[in-house]
Amino acid sequence: MNDFNSIVFWKNCNQEKKQNILLRPAISVSKKISKKVADIIETVKKYGDDALIKFNSKFDNFHEKNLRINPKKISYSKNFLNKSIKDALLVAMENIKKFHMAQKISPISIEIKPGIICEQFFRPIESVGIYIPNGSAPLFSTVLMLAIPAKIAGCKKILLCSPPPIGNEILYACEMCGIKDIFQIGGAHSIAALAFGTKSVYKVEKIFGPGNIWVTEAKKQVNYQFDGPAIDFFAGPSELLIIADSNARPDFIAADLLSQAEHGETSQVLLLTPSFSLASSVLKEIKKQIIFLPRSLIAKKALKNSLLIITSSLQECINISNQYGPEHLSIQTSCPRDLLKEVKNAGSVFLGKWSPESAGDYASGTNHVLPTYGQTATHSSIGLLDFQKRITVQELTKKGLHKLSSTIECLALAEKLEAHKNAITLRLS
């Protein structure tokens, strides 16, 4: 659709049209961009800090040679922020910390059978890299979302990269979280530095954080290399799907849709409702509210990717939502919890008219780094476990091994792995 004036009736669409309606905006990485990203990665691997300084100058018009932020600058950042923003960050930090602390999983130790004990425990990933976007919308809230679980998990080395110049809000959020290794580098070259290391930047084992097409492509390429790091997932563009009934507030819904549309031109927002009257009212509210948004031009372009869909029932809304698998799912109905049990695929769910998506973006406590583009079918929001690894243990007594020996020997022989069998037979002979 060319604008947000169209209302689609789901029952009037054939299967092909329904599939096309639920397609995300095409985010294609051209061969040209892939090649440039590959060249950037190889240049950083070869020339290290010199390459990073060169790319900072080329891409961000930033000419300082010191890549690492001076600790004094981090400490001084609080002097440039007013009390209200510092207080707000503190509240957000406390809520996010409380929710992620609750995600700790106790070790498991179970005697499977007499003489056979199996255990499971968790250890932190030793070193992690955090990428924080810093363009038209510097996402200092993402510092909290990534640094807090990394700290709780016990990661010993936490590096943060963000395009220069890094604002005081980001620096202060880092100080609150105890992040000291902050590097003023962005884009694909920062991902390369985190992935393979330079004289200044420590090589990490896993990279987290959203970014533009260059950052995402770099994360993909370093992850595919044999000696490259793990990554969280490919995040973006932002998505919001709202399910609403005739009792929902049109002004609330319009505000929520616009809150995601302003993220970027390729964002996508959807409203699913059985009420034509509600959809019409939401459309009027969007046109009224968008006028006053500083990022209205961005939001208008995002709305070209977006839809108002009239369904036959709330159950059909849920079915469509599960097929789409939104990053954010808002359920604004009279009894939202009745629909929650039907949700299969979603990054984060917001129940009721008093739970705007903005709450999760900043301060309710849940994490706002979420899978997009249908990845919710297999991926979850960032949480404590993403910064940890699971280790299992088994301990057998002589009696326990003896009771299990015939089973192991039988299976080993069936797989034609004689040495496996011999490791049992030798002990019992």
Side-chain angles (χ1 to χ4, degrees), residues 166-285:
I166 301 178
N168 289 306
E169 292 85 357
I170 291 178
L171 295 179
Y172 182 66
C174 289
E175 184 182 44
M176 291 177 67
C177 296
I179 306 301
K180 300 177 181 179
D181 294 318
I182 306 170
F183 296 89
Q184 42 197 354
I185 45 176
H189 50 293
S190 70
I191 301 301
L194 291 171
F196 304 109
T198 68
K199 185 177 180 180
S200 298
V201 183
Y202 190 91
K203 171 181 167 62
V204 301
E205 293 166 331
K206 190 172 183 179
I207 298 174
F208 295 82
N212 61 19
I213 194 169
W214 295 83
V215 170
T216 301
E217 176 65 14
K219 285 172 68 177
K220 181 179 76 173
Q221 289 193 24
V222 300
N223 178 236
Y224 286 168
Q225 294 195 28
F226 180 75
D227 56 344
I231 62 171
D232 46 5
F233 42 67
F234 306 133
S238 189
E239 306 161 356
L240 170 64
L241 186 150
I242 297 178
I243 295 174
D245 60 17
S246 58
N247 296 316
R249 289 274 300 261
D251 53 342
F252 287 8
I253 292 174
D256 291 344
L257 293 171
L258 289 171
S259 74
Q260 286 305 289
E262 74 171 355
H263 260 300
E265 297 176 4
T266 53
S267 296
Q268 186 174 56
V269 295
L270 303 173
L271 169 64
L272 305 180
T273 178
S275 172
F276 176 78
S277 174
L278 176 73
S280 300
S281 298
V282 169
L283 186 58
K284 292 177 183 177
E285 278 292 334

Side-chain angles (χ1 to χ4, degrees), residues 52-324:
L52 297 178
I53 293 168
K54 170 189 169 185
F55 288 133
N56 268 355
S57 177
K58 179 179 180 180
F59 296 125
D60 292 304
N61 196 31
F62 187 77
H63 308 293
E64 284 190 26
K65 292 187 176 181
N66 292 327
L67 300 171
R68 190 174 186 271
I69 295 288
N70 190 304
K72 289 185 179 180
K73 187 175 182 180
I74 301 172
S75 180
Y76 290 161
S77 63
K78 59 179 174 287
N79 299 325
F80 299 97
L81 301 179
N82 60 46
K83 185 177 184 298
S84 61
I85 186 67
K86 288 188 282 190
D87 289 346
L89 280 167
L90 181 60
V91 171
M93 179 181 181
E94 289 173 346
N95 292 349
I96 295 164
K97 185 177 181 179
K98 187 173 184 179
F99 184 69
H100 289 76
M101 284 288 289
Q103 296 176 21
K104 288 185 175 182
I105 297 179
S106 299
I108 296 171
S109 180
I110 181 171
E111 189 170 29
I112 302 297
K113 286 185 177 179
I116 304 173
I117 296 175
C118 291
E119 301 175 21
Q120 174 182 281
F121 61 87
F122 293 85
R123 290 289 183 267
I125 297 173
E126 288 285 308
S127 59
V128 298
I130 294 173
Y131 185 85
I132 305 299
N134 188 29
S136 61
L139 301 184
F140 54 88
S141 57
T142 305
V143 176
L144 305 182
M145 297 294 175
L146 295 175
I148 289 173
K151 280 288 186 178
I152 295 172
C155 301
K156 291 184 178 179
K157 197 77 173 176
I158 304 172
L159 277 68
L160 185 144
C161 290
S162 191
I166 301 178
N168 289 306
E169 292 85 357
I170 291 178
L171 295 179
Y172 182 66
C174 289
E175 184 182 44
M176 291 177 67
C177 296
I179 306 301
K180 300 177 181 179
D181 294 318
I182 306 170
F183 296 89
Q184 42 197 354
I185 45 176
H189 50 293
S190 70
I191 301 301
L194 291 171
F196 304 109
T198 68
K199 185 177 180 180
S200 298
V201 183
Y202 190 91
K203 171 181 167 62
V204 301
E205 293 166 331
K206 190 172 183 179
I207 298 174
F208 295 82
N212 61 19
I213 194 169
W214 295 83
V215 170
T216 301
E217 176 65 14
K219 285 172 68 177
K220 181 179 76 173
Q221 289 193 24
V222 300
N223 178 236
Y224 286 168
Q225 294 195 28
F226 180 75
D227 56 344
I231 62 171
D232 46 5
F233 42 67
F234 306 133
S238 189
E239 306 161 356
L240 170 64
L241 186 150
I242 297 178
I243 295 174
D245 60 17
S246 58
N247 296 316
R249 289 274 300 261
D251 53 342
F252 287 8
I253 292 174
D256 291 344
L257 293 171
L258 289 171
S259 74
Q260 286 305 289
E262 74 171 355
H263 260 300
E265 297 176 4
T266 53
S267 296
Q268 186 174 56
V269 295
L270 303 173
L271 169 64
L272 305 180
T273 178
S275 172
F276 176 78
S277 174
L278 176 73
S280 300
S281 298
V282 169
L283 186 58
K284 292 177 183 177
E285 278 292 334
I286 287 174
K287 292 179 178 179
K288 184 191 303 183
Q289 294 181 26
I290 200 170
I291 297 171
F292 302 101
L293 294 179
R295 295 169 67 88
S296 61
L297 291 178
I298 292 174
K300 285 179 180 178
K301 290 181 179 179
L303 291 178
K304 293 179 181 180
N305 309 316
S306 305
L307 292 164
L308 301 173
I309 301 173
I310 308 301
T311 65
S312 60
S313 65
L314 287 177
Q315 183 59 53
E316 187 171 56
C317 291
I318 283 289
N319 295 341
I320 295 169
S321 176
N322 284 331
Q323 182 181 346
Y324 181 79

